[in-house]
Amino acid sequence: MYVLDSSAFIHDFHTTEQTATIPLVREELEDESAYRYDAMEGSGMHIHIPNEDTTERVRRAAKESGDLDVLSNTDIRLVAASFELDATLVTDDYAMQNVAEKLNVTVEVIAREGIDEQRHWQYQCQGCGREYDEHKDRCPICGSDLARKNPT
């Protein structure tokens, strides 16, 4: 089974396998991609609502990987649905791919290349240069903003 992100509808993804998605994806679509969603739903695409325990598990994994701040509620719930359904997640979103890999969820990409490696993001203070494993709004030492830094 495939769980479809909005990019699957935008890029007209086709498969003979069973498909599923979540209701929040429909809200992200417009024009032709919205019609594709409606047509697939009408022809048997499963609409899944992941439970809160799984959604919280995905949030924790995203926080550990440093991707939580760039994932939308829709993104988190799509990864959770893929996890619950033991399905392949169809997305081009790198942060979603990173979190999915952390949870051993298989990913298939559409229009871009997939990620080469899982990353655990770090954060660096823009003022004093200190590095942190977790995102904070401000540096606890000097009060400057933190920026996400590509791990080496």
Side-chain angles (χ1 to χ4, degrees):
M1 174 178 276
Y2 289 103
V3 172
L4 308 179
D5 183 12
S6 58
S7 60
F9 299 99
I10 292 166
H11 295 289
D12 200 14
F13 176 79
H14 288 283
T15 182
T16 57
E17 299 290 322
Q18 288 185 316
T19 57
T21 193
I22 62 172
L24 291 171
V25 168
R26 177 62 174 85
E27 297 172 16
E28 295 181 350
L29 302 173
E30 51 189 46
D31 302 328
E32 288 181 28
S33 57
Y35 295 127
R36 285 188 198 104
Y37 180 103
D38 294 340
M40 289 181 73
E41 182 179 13
S43 65
M45 177 176 64
H46 176 68
I47 305 299
H48 185 76
I49 299 173
N51 72 53
E52 285 304 315
D53 290 342
T54 307
T55 302
E56 187 54 37
R57 182 175 182 171
V58 172
R59 276 194 183 88
R60 283 193 309 270
K63 185 174 182 176
E64 288 173 14
S65 70
D67 292 299
L68 184 60
D69 292 335
V70 296
L71 291 176
S72 69
N73 188 39
T74 303
D75 297 339
I76 290 166
R77 291 183 180 278
L78 277 163
V79 175
S82 300
F83 183 84
E84 285 183 358
L85 297 171
D86 194 25
T88 298
L89 175 61
V90 179
T91 184
D92 281 338
D93 185 290
Y94 290 136
M96 287 175 67
Q97 291 174 43
N98 201 38
V99 175
E101 187 169 309
K102 187 168 184 59
L103 294 167
N104 296 316
V105 170
T106 306
V107 175
E108 185 168 320
V109 295
I110 304 166
R112 301 188 206 178
E113 291 184 28
I115 63 172
D116 294 329
E117 63 187 30
Q118 183 180 0
R119 293 189 176 166
H120 178 79
W121 294 101
Q122 295 188 339
Y123 299 88
Q124 185 170 28
C125 175
Q126 298 299 292
C128 66
R130 285 187 173 79
E131 294 182 3
Y132 301 93
D133 288 334
E134 291 184 0
H135 178 69
K136 303 170 185 346
D137 288 331
R138 300 219 173 263
C139 175
I141 306 300
C142 73
S144 297
D145 290 335
L146 300 184
R148 191 163 86 159
K149 177 183 173 189
N150 194 357
T152 53

